[in-house]
Amino acid sequence: MQIHKDGEQIKKEILNITAIVEFVLLGFSDIPNIQWILFGVFLVIYLTILMCNSIIILIIRIDSALQTPMYFFLSNFSFLEICYVTVTIPRMLMDLLTKKGNISFFACAAQMCFVLMFGGSECLLLTVMAYDRYVAICNPLHYTLVMNHKVCVQLVTVSWVSTAPVVIGQTCQIFSLPFCGSNIINHFFCDIPPVLKLACGDTFVNEIAIYVVAVVFIMVPFLLIVFSYGKIISSILKLSSAKGRAKAFSTCSSHLIVVVLFYGTATITYLRPKPNQSEGVGKLISLFYTVLIPTLNPIIYTLRNKDIMVALRKLLTKLLM
């Protein structure tokens, strides 16, 4: 009898499903008194991210001293950061300005797809950057041979392209689910956890697929980075010169800080158990890795990198003369 009842309930749910043509992003509408302040803060942050990353790309492009694999990867990382924040922040600014969070079904799917694609590419590119440091420190005599321009281009291309088929497939899988009842997404962009909460029926298969993809694009690259840095630290500690150890650590410290910040928040978002997901905490964590970390990254890479600072001073001197 229970099976029969469940079957009847499922039929009723299917009949009650209405085709959702748009969603509503709640964003920060729960704190209406500071909408304009948030708009101003996020606008300044977005412009800062665009400006800082563009300057990094520019000085790496024009300074001959920075024509090395490490800075080639860094310029690609800066461009990826610009793409990553552009998918979410302008939309959030528009919602704060208009006080409307309406987003079409297709636009929501596209936003999710690009956020996941750029996020996955960032994981892979950070892994490539760790491998570059591993070769430079652990195999310095073979560095120019191993990390030649062709290899660098291939590694960057794989980082950019390999996530696309998986992410597109996963996005199609999520948005092919039936959505019924509420169309309100308690978030400031179309992320997986809040969108899945609106889906009708069993989402177990989708959740398993998300975990698998998260393991492949978050945990596996992270473990490779940990392995690389294990080898790097071991090699650095074997150096007899204290100055040499300090220089080797300084070339890795910026990348290591970015890895810890990015992977920490990404792991909490996509690998934590579903019952522990709080919408408020999830929104805060998402704000951290979509807004705060991209703001900190160029600052971390410039302030902790002497070569970048020297190139920046040279550029400023040329412009002011």
Side-chain angles (χ1 to χ4, degrees):
M1 287 295 292
Q2 185 63 41
I3 294 171
H4 178 69
K5 283 182 181 178
D6 289 343
E8 287 298 319
Q9 286 174 356
I10 290 168
K11 283 179 182 178
K12 285 178 182 178
E13 284 180 4
I14 291 170
L15 290 171
N16 288 335
I17 291 171
T18 55
I20 290 176
V21 294
E22 69 171 14
F23 294 102
V24 178
L25 293 166
L26 279 186
F28 303 98
S29 58
D30 52 337
I31 40 175
N33 297 331
I34 60 168
Q35 296 280 300
W36 285 105
I37 296 172
L38 288 175
F39 177 82
V41 169
F42 290 135
L43 179 61
V44 170
I45 286 173
Y46 182 57
L47 294 175
T48 302
I49 293 169
L50 293 184
M51 184 180 68
C52 291
N53 282 293
S54 297
I55 289 170
I56 290 173
I57 294 168
L58 178 65
I59 59 177
I60 290 173
R61 188 90 177 183
I62 64 176
D63 196 304
S64 57
L66 301 180
Q67 303 303 309
T68 63
M70 182 174 81
Y71 294 110
F72 172 72
F73 295 135
L74 179 55
S75 64
N76 273 274
F77 183 76
S78 294
F79 181 66
L80 184 57
E81 287 281 77
I82 291 171
C83 295
Y84 186 62
V85 296
T86 300
V87 177
T88 54
I89 299 182
R91 172 83 215 186
M92 182 168 58
L93 290 172
M94 186 181 76
D95 291 342
L96 285 168
L97 189 64
T98 61
K99 297 182 181 179
K100 294 178 182 178
N102 300 61
I103 183 169
S104 70
F105 191 86
F106 177 77
C108 188
Q111 187 183 53
M112 180 187 288
C113 184
F114 282 115
V115 166
L116 295 176
M117 198 182 299
F118 292 139
S121 295
E122 195 159 321
C123 290
L124 297 179
L125 194 53
L126 285 170
T127 310
V128 168
M129 293 167 81
Y131 175 68
D132 171 67
R133 292 299 82 209
Y134 162 75
V135 177
I137 293 169
C138 300
N139 298 291
L141 297 176
H142 298 98
Y143 181 66
T144 52
L145 182 65
V146 175
M147 300 303 292
N148 60 66
H149 183 68
K150 184 181 177 182
V151 170
C152 291
V153 171
Q154 287 173 341
L155 289 171
V156 167
T157 304
V158 168
S159 299
W160 276 93
V161 173
S162 59
T163 58
V166 177
V167 167
I168 291 169
Q170 188 163 56
T171 305
C172 290
Q173 186 185 41
I174 290 169
F175 281 87
S176 63
L177 289 167
F179 291 92
C180 57
S182 175
N183 67 336
I184 296 171
I185 300 173
N186 189 9
H187 215 291
F188 58 90
F189 75 96
C190 292
D191 201 6
I192 290 177
V195 171
L196 267 185
K197 282 186 178 181
L198 303 182
C200 300
D202 189 12
T203 58
F204 178 75
V205 174
N206 301 86
E207 288 164 28
I208 293 297
I210 290 161
Y211 277 112
V212 170
V213 172
V215 166
V216 171
F217 287 105
I218 297 176
M219 290 310 298
V220 171
F222 180 70
L223 291 174
L224 290 172
I225 291 171
V226 169
F227 175 78
S228 297
Y229 273 103
K231 292 285 189 180
I232 288 167
I233 292 167
S234 176
S235 296
I236 290 173
L237 294 175
K238 289 175 185 176
L239 296 173
S240 56
S241 166
K243 189 178 179 181
R245 287 197 297 270
K247 186 179 179 182
F249 271 122
S250 70
T251 63
C252 301
S253 58
S254 300
H255 179 257
L256 201 53
I257 292 168
V258 171
V259 166
V260 171
L261 290 172
F262 181 78
Y263 275 96
T265 51
T267 301
I268 292 168
T269 302
Y270 296 108
L271 288 175
R272 61 183 175 165
K274 190 178 179 182
N276 295 332
Q277 288 184 356
S278 162
E279 289 180 339
V281 173
K283 200 188 294 187
L284 186 64
I285 293 168
S286 297
L287 195 63
F288 194 83
Y289 73 79
T290 56
V291 178
L292 185 59
I293 293 176
T295 309
L296 293 174
N297 286 350
I299 297 169
I300 293 167
Y301 275 112
T302 51
L303 294 181
R304 299 187 62 85
N305 191 303
K306 290 180 181 178
D307 293 337
I308 293 283
M309 291 303 290
V310 169
L312 188 55
R313 287 193 199 101
K314 281 163 64 177
L315 178 62
L316 289 172
T317 305
K318 285 181 181 179
L319 292 172
L320 295 172
M321 285 179 68

